[in-house]
Amino acid sequence: MNNLSLVATATTPAVDFNASTGLVALSGESYPENAFEFFKPLLAWVADYVRQSSGPLSAEIALSYLNTSSVKSVMDLLDQFEAAHRAGRTVAVHWHYQQENERALEMIEEFKDEVTLPFFIVAVPG
């Protein structure tokens, strides 16, 4: 299985998915014209990783802004993590945000409320 890496653009986050460690990293902002198309290969990668590996799955997320369709796509990603967790896989999410960004914190807390997997909110001084 190959790694998946994408450089951040003005409207899409940086992506670094590592097949040898199961680490999924997303950082930046996400408001592409078509979030579903942008996230499609990311969702496929996670599904393939879960099928092909028995290793842990972890996410390091630092998304400071998401448009509505990106929120839906990130929730789809978290749903895949949740399914792996419920199937007995070691899974964890660490979501980093700028400490003074209360809007981001509220959004992250809403994501956390939707899953039962280990989900850690990490405040970064800014």
Side-chain angles (χ1 to χ4, degrees), residues 18-60:
N18 188 311
S20 62
T21 63
L23 177 64
V24 171
L26 294 167
S27 61
E29 296 184 346
S30 184
Y31 53 97
E33 188 172 318
N34 189 335
F36 302 112
E37 282 301 311
F38 176 79
F39 278 90
K40 189 175 184 178
L42 283 62
L43 293 163
W45 189 97
V46 171
D48 289 345
Y49 178 81
V50 170
R51 273 195 307 276
Q52 296 177 24
S53 168
S54 60
L57 183 60
S58 61
E60 292 290 334

Side-chain angles (χ1 to χ4, degrees), residues 56-110:
L57 183 60
S58 61
E60 292 290 334
I61 302 174
L63 295 172
S64 58
Y65 174 79
L66 296 104
N67 65 2
T68 303
S69 57
S70 292
V71 168
K72 168 68 173 118
S73 296
V74 169
M75 195 63 236
D76 291 344
L77 193 63
L78 291 175
D79 286 344
Q80 288 182 314
F81 273 63
E82 179 73 6
H85 171 69
R86 289 183 180 202
R89 177 77 57 104
T90 300
V91 178
V93 172
H94 293 86
W95 197 309
H96 306 261
Y97 76 100
Q98 293 293 318
Q99 192 169 6
E100 68 279 354
N101 189 342
E102 291 182 28
R103 248 179 68 198
L105 176 59
E106 290 172 11
M107 175 190 66
I108 298 163
E109 288 173 336
E110 288 178 22

